[in-house]
Amino acid sequence: MDRSGGTAYPALWQVFGPQQRRAAMRARNLWRGRVAVAIGLAGALALAACGGASDSGANSSGEIKGTIDFWMGDPIGDAQQPIMQKLADDYAAAHPGTKVNLRFLGKDAHQTYLTSIAGGSVPCVALIGNTWTPEFAALNALEVYANDPKTLQGTYVPGMIESTIFKGKSYAVPYDTGVRALIYRKDMLEAIGKTAAPATWQELREDALAIQAKNQGVNGFGIIGGAHWYYLPLIWNWGGEIAKQSGDKWVSEAGSTQSVQAFQFYSDLLTKDRLSPAGASAWTAADVDKSMGLGQTAMMVGGSWDLRTILKQSPDLEGKLGTAVLPKGPGGNNDTFAGGSNLAVFRECNNKAVANDFVKFMMTKENLVPVTSNLGLLPATNDALAQEKATGSFSAPLFKAYAEQADHTRSIPPVASWGKVEGANSIVNAMQSIMSGKKTADVAMKELADQVNQAIG
């Protein structure tokens, strides 16, 4: 899972062909008498030998005893693995007769999970990208966590609850979350007579123009045309919806007036206001991070991970930078995407007593915060988030805005095939066609709506 909120790896439709997809679905639905799926991957047999469904110490009696497998991928890296191992050891010490086998999947996690699901060899517990949860639930791979997602309200960050839902049920527990906020040069704002960050997108535009006029060679605002997570939320800010549910289907709202206006506004920041170089139509976050670190950009939207990258590159900027929650749009909100990871129990785990108990153990504030703070992400439970805001790693002035932004987040439409939209680069293509002048915003967004509907309908 891309910590910033995107599906970082290909979905099932990208990995397997039509025949394999149908076979995988049949295998999940039959449950017993599973047929091996021909996936054409050299490591498939090896994966089938290491799953958690046949752990030797497993039991189905409800007794907290036996062995489970726990898999996790990005964002868990080398720095977090010792922390996870200690938690697994602490759990086993507190529950004699149990054992948690860890497996770190790295950036190939999504494909590895799909291979294990298709081959019928899955772990008991898994840390999965929040955008993968509906996809895996649609494959009948995950255990239901809550029949009524409303019961999770008050315990977890709202935007992350949405990411656990598929067809009205929650299939995972929100674990960590990453959000974006506004990063800006305090000194440059003060030089134009401003003592606070812009509160609206229109104010941001005006401030950026003023800063640019006063500082030759400086970009007023870092535009990122090559990554849709930076402008797709503007549809919400303008009062629209990315998609709406109609019966048991989701229907794109990309062609709505609000969506067209939101994309036109972002495009105009580049094409009319020239707040970034023309090449910014293809920029990603890394490009703006570098530009900000070099003192060439005055304001940008970025995650806490971007801020850390900038400070590592240019430590002298620390006293000159400020952060704030994102500006609001005409729709009256500043909602953005809640990226992050969820903890899920696989249906085929035959030691669900230990699996569910281990998930509860992992989700306590005392065990959650050491992991998320080491990652530089926010915990997805409200009690742990409150601690981080008050005295934790997000209590520092430069990082506090990220904890505040967490209250203003949403998730992508909870449909299994959303990965098709991202995989086809449809949203980025729409924005870039507007920026290049090849299409009007009306035409580009109506075409985008059709493409999204073909993918998720």
Short mmCIF file of all heavy atoms in Angstrom, two decimals, residues 55-82:
data_model
loop_
_atom_site.label_atom_id
_atom_site.label_comp_id
_atom_site.label_asym_id
_atom_site.label_seq_id
_atom_site.Cartn_x
_atom_site.Cartn_y
_atom_site.Cartn_z
N ASP A 55 -1.41 -24.16 9.74
CA ASP A 55 -0.41 -24.09 10.81
C ASP A 55 -0.55 -25.30 11.73
O ASP A 55 -1.65 -25.67 12.14
CB ASP A 55 -0.59 -22.80 11.61
CG ASP A 55 -0.22 -21.58 10.80
OD1 ASP A 55 0.68 -21.68 9.96
OD2 ASP A 55 -0.85 -20.55 11.00
N SER A 56 0.59 -25.87 12.09
CA SER A 56 0.56 -27.12 12.84
C SER A 56 -0.08 -26.99 14.20
O SER A 56 -0.64 -27.94 14.72
CB SER A 56 2.00 -27.64 12.98
OG SER A 56 2.80 -26.70 13.67
N GLY A 57 0.02 -25.79 14.79
CA GLY A 57 -0.54 -25.64 16.12
C GLY A 57 -1.93 -25.03 16.11
O GLY A 57 -2.41 -24.59 17.15
N ALA A 58 -2.57 -24.95 14.96
CA ALA A 58 -3.85 -24.25 14.86
C ALA A 58 -4.97 -25.03 15.54
O ALA A 58 -4.89 -26.22 15.75
CB ALA A 58 -4.19 -24.04 13.39
N ASN A 59 -6.01 -24.29 15.88
CA ASN A 59 -7.18 -24.94 16.45
C ASN A 59 -8.41 -24.12 16.12
O ASN A 59 -8.31 -22.95 15.78
CB ASN A 59 -7.03 -25.07 17.97
CG ASN A 59 -7.15 -23.74 18.69
OD1 ASN A 59 -8.26 -23.30 18.98
ND2 ASN A 59 -6.02 -23.10 18.98
N SER A 60 -9.55 -24.73 16.19
CA SER A 60 -10.81 -24.04 15.92
C SER A 60 -11.74 -24.09 17.12
O SER A 60 -12.93 -23.88 16.99
CB SER A 60 -11.49 -24.67 14.69
OG SER A 60 -11.70 -26.06 14.92
N SER A 61 -11.18 -24.37 18.28
CA SER A 61 -12.00 -24.53 19.47
C SER A 61 -12.25 -23.25 20.23
O SER A 61 -13.03 -23.21 21.17
CB SER A 61 -11.33 -25.53 20.42
OG SER A 61 -10.10 -25.00 20.90
N GLY A 62 -11.58 -22.17 19.81
CA GLY A 62 -11.71 -20.92 20.53
C GLY A 62 -10.65 -20.76 21.60
O GLY A 62 -10.57 -19.72 22.26
N GLU A 63 -9.80 -21.76 21.79
CA GLU A 63 -8.74 -21.70 22.79
C GLU A 63 -7.59 -20.86 22.25
O GLU A 63 -7.21 -20.97 21.09
CB GLU A 63 -8.26 -23.11 23.10
CG GLU A 63 -7.19 -23.18 24.18
CD GLU A 63 -6.71 -24.59 24.42
OE1 GLU A 63 -7.10 -25.49 23.63
OE2 GLU A 63 -5.95 -24.81 25.37
N ILE A 64 -7.04 -19.98 23.11
CA ILE A 64 -5.91 -19.15 22.70
C ILE A 64 -4.64 -19.98 22.80
O ILE A 64 -3.90 -19.92 23.78
CB ILE A 64 -5.83 -17.87 23.56
CG1 ILE A 64 -7.16 -17.13 23.56
CG2 ILE A 64 -4.71 -16.96 23.06
CD1 ILE A 64 -7.62 -16.71 22.19
N LYS A 65 -4.41 -20.76 21.78
CA LYS A 65 -3.27 -21.66 21.75
C LYS A 65 -2.98 -22.03 20.30
O LYS A 65 -3.89 -22.23 19.51
CB LYS A 65 -3.55 -22.92 22.57
CG LYS A 65 -2.36 -23.86 22.69
CD LYS A 65 -2.71 -25.05 23.58
CE LYS A 65 -1.52 -25.99 23.71
NZ LYS A 65 -1.84 -27.17 24.56
N GLY A 66 -1.69 -22.15 19.96
CA GLY A 66 -1.33 -22.57 18.62
C GLY A 66 -0.54 -21.51 17.88
O GLY A 66 -0.18 -20.47 18.43
N THR A 67 -0.30 -21.76 16.62
CA THR A 67 0.57 -20.93 15.79
C THR A 67 -0.22 -20.24 14.69
O THR A 67 -1.14 -20.83 14.11
CB THR A 67 1.67 -21.79 15.15
OG1 THR A 67 2.43 -22.42 16.18
CG2 THR A 67 2.61 -20.96 14.29
N ILE A 68 0.14 -19.00 14.41
CA ILE A 68 -0.45 -18.29 13.27
C ILE A 68 0.68 -17.64 12.47
O ILE A 68 1.76 -17.39 12.99
CB ILE A 68 -1.46 -17.21 13.69
CG1 ILE A 68 -0.79 -16.14 14.57
CG2 ILE A 68 -2.66 -17.83 14.40
CD1 ILE A 68 -1.66 -14.91 14.79
N ASP A 69 0.40 -17.39 11.20
CA ASP A 69 1.31 -16.63 10.35
C ASP A 69 0.79 -15.21 10.22
O ASP A 69 -0.42 -14.99 10.04
CB ASP A 69 1.41 -17.25 8.96
CG ASP A 69 2.22 -18.54 8.97
OD1 ASP A 69 2.83 -18.85 10.01
OD2 ASP A 69 2.22 -19.23 7.93
N PHE A 70 1.69 -14.24 10.29
CA PHE A 70 1.37 -12.82 10.15
C PHE A 70 2.24 -12.26 9.04
O PHE A 70 3.46 -12.25 9.15
CB PHE A 70 1.61 -12.11 11.48
CG PHE A 70 1.39 -10.61 11.45
CD1 PHE A 70 0.51 -10.02 10.56
CD2 PHE A 70 2.07 -9.79 12.35
CE1 PHE A 70 0.30 -8.65 10.55
CE2 PHE A 70 1.86 -8.42 12.35
CZ PHE A 70 0.99 -7.84 11.45
N TRP A 71 1.59 -11.81 7.94
CA TRP A 71 2.32 -11.25 6.81
C TRP A 71 2.13 -9.74 6.77
O TRP A 71 1.05 -9.23 7.10
CB TRP A 71 1.81 -11.82 5.49
CG TRP A 71 2.11 -13.27 5.26
CD1 TRP A 71 2.71 -14.15 6.11
CD2 TRP A 71 1.79 -14.01 4.07
NE1 TRP A 71 2.80 -15.39 5.53
CE2 TRP A 71 2.25 -15.34 4.28
CE3 TRP A 71 1.19 -13.69 2.87
CZ2 TRP A 71 2.09 -16.33 3.31
CZ3 TRP A 71 1.03 -14.68 1.91
CH2 TRP A 71 1.48 -15.99 2.13
N MET A 72 3.15 -9.05 6.29
CA MET A 72 3.04 -7.60 6.14
C MET A 72 4.01 -7.13 5.07
O MET A 72 5.08 -7.71 4.88
CB MET A 72 3.30 -6.90 7.47
CG MET A 72 4.70 -7.07 8.02
SD MET A 72 4.78 -7.01 9.81
CE MET A 72 4.40 -8.75 10.16
N GLY A 73 3.60 -6.09 4.36
CA GLY A 73 4.45 -5.50 3.33
C GLY A 73 4.65 -4.03 3.59
O GLY A 73 4.57 -3.55 4.73
N ASP A 74 4.94 -3.28 2.53
CA ASP A 74 5.09 -1.84 2.61
C ASP A 74 3.85 -1.25 3.30
O ASP A 74 2.73 -1.65 2.99
CB ASP A 74 5.21 -1.29 1.19
CG ASP A 74 5.49 0.19 1.15
OD1 ASP A 74 6.37 0.63 1.89
OD2 ASP A 74 4.83 0.90 0.36
N PRO A 75 3.99 -0.37 4.30
CA PRO A 75 5.19 0.42 4.62
C PRO A 75 6.14 -0.20 5.64
O PRO A 75 7.09 0.46 6.04
CB PRO A 75 4.59 1.70 5.19
CG PRO A 75 3.37 1.23 5.91
CD PRO A 75 2.81 0.11 5.06
N ILE A 76 5.88 -1.41 6.10
CA ILE A 76 6.80 -2.04 7.05
C ILE A 76 8.11 -2.36 6.34
O ILE A 76 8.13 -3.12 5.37
CB ILE A 76 6.20 -3.33 7.65
CG1 ILE A 76 4.89 -3.01 8.38
CG2 ILE A 76 7.19 -3.98 8.59
CD1 ILE A 76 5.03 -2.10 9.58
N GLY A 77 9.18 -1.76 6.82
CA GLY A 77 10.49 -1.97 6.22
C GLY A 77 11.49 -2.45 7.25
O GLY A 77 11.13 -2.89 8.35
N ASP A 78 12.76 -2.33 6.90
CA ASP A 78 13.82 -2.83 7.77
C ASP A 78 13.77 -2.20 9.16
O ASP A 78 14.03 -2.87 10.17
CB ASP A 78 15.19 -2.57 7.14
CG ASP A 78 15.41 -3.40 5.88
OD1 ASP A 78 14.68 -4.40 5.70
OD2 ASP A 78 16.30 -3.05 5.08
N ALA A 79 13.45 -0.90 9.21
CA ALA A 79 13.46 -0.19 10.49
C ALA A 79 12.37 -0.66 11.43
O ALA A 79 12.50 -0.54 12.66
CB ALA A 79 13.35 1.31 10.26
N GLN A 80 11.27 -1.19 10.87
CA GLN A 80 10.14 -1.60 11.70
C GLN A 80 10.14 -3.09 12.04
O GLN A 80 9.41 -3.52 12.93
CB GLN A 80 8.81 -1.24 11.01
CG GLN A 80 8.54 0.24 10.87
CD GLN A 80 9.33 0.85 9.73
OE1 GLN A 80 9.47 0.24 8.67
NE2 GLN A 80 9.85 2.04 9.93
N GLN A 81 10.92 -3.87 11.32
CA GLN A 81 10.87 -5.31 11.53
C GLN A 81 11.25 -5.73 12.96
O GLN A 81 10.57 -6.59 13.54
CB GLN A 81 11.75 -6.01 10.49
CG GLN A 81 11.17 -5.92 9.09
CD GLN A 81 12.00 -6.65 8.05
OE1 GLN A 81 12.82 -7.50 8.37
NE2 GLN A 81 11.78 -6.32 6.78
N PRO A 82 12.27 -5.14 13.57
CA PRO A 82 12.56 -5.51 14.97
C PRO A 82 11.41 -5.18 15.93
O PRO A 82 11.17 -5.92 16.89
CB PRO A 82 13.81 -4.69 15.30
CG PRO A 82 14.44 -4.41 13.99
CD PRO A 82 13.30 -4.23 13.04
#
